[in-house]
Amino acid sequence: MTDDPAIAALLAEARIQYVVGLAAKVADLESLITRGAWDEARRAAHKLRGSAGTYGFAEVSAPAAAIEEALIESNGAPDDAIKARVAELAREVRAQAVVAAAAAKP
């Protein structure tokens, strides 16, 4: 990433700080999905997609992106198949967030 140890340390600390709040972000997304708040869930998935990617957690970003895309394609009214897919993807986001949190610890 960088050869400068000071910058590398700052980036590592930023990643740690990000994962401190990651579980709450995932829980919020799961809550929105459970409540059927599809537009809000799409926005939350979009934010998670971008922030996880920015901090280098592509494994969290990818399923969040898939949730966002599925909800966009459903025009805010997902059928049972899309709801099942979104629920499956949310479980993947949760699992990958746990892995990311463990990996980010010093």
Side-chain angles (χ1 to χ4, degrees):
M1 202 177 289
T2 180
D3 292 334
D4 185 331
I7 292 175
L10 287 172
L11 292 172
E13 181 59 31
R15 285 174 52 92
I16 290 168
Q17 290 302 313
Y18 177 76
V19 297
V20 165
L22 185 56
K25 290 174 178 51
V26 173
D28 289 343
L29 176 60
E30 291 170 327
S31 175
L32 293 166
I33 290 168
T34 299
R35 291 189 349 242
W38 303 117
D39 287 336
E40 292 175 36
R42 181 197 48 77
R43 285 190 294 275
H46 173 80
K47 290 177 186 177
L48 186 57
R49 171 190 198 168
S51 64
T54 297
Y55 284 96
F57 298 108
E59 60 281 349
V60 175
S61 183
I67 291 171
E68 178 188 17
E69 291 162 9
L71 293 176
I72 288 171
E73 290 173 13
S74 72
N75 293 316
D79 62 20
D80 288 342
I82 292 175
K83 289 177 185 176
R85 177 74 177 133
V86 165
E88 176 186 327
L89 288 164
R91 287 189 293 276
E92 179 66 16
V93 168
R94 162 83 44 209
Q96 292 302 325
V98 169
V99 171
K105 291 183 182 176

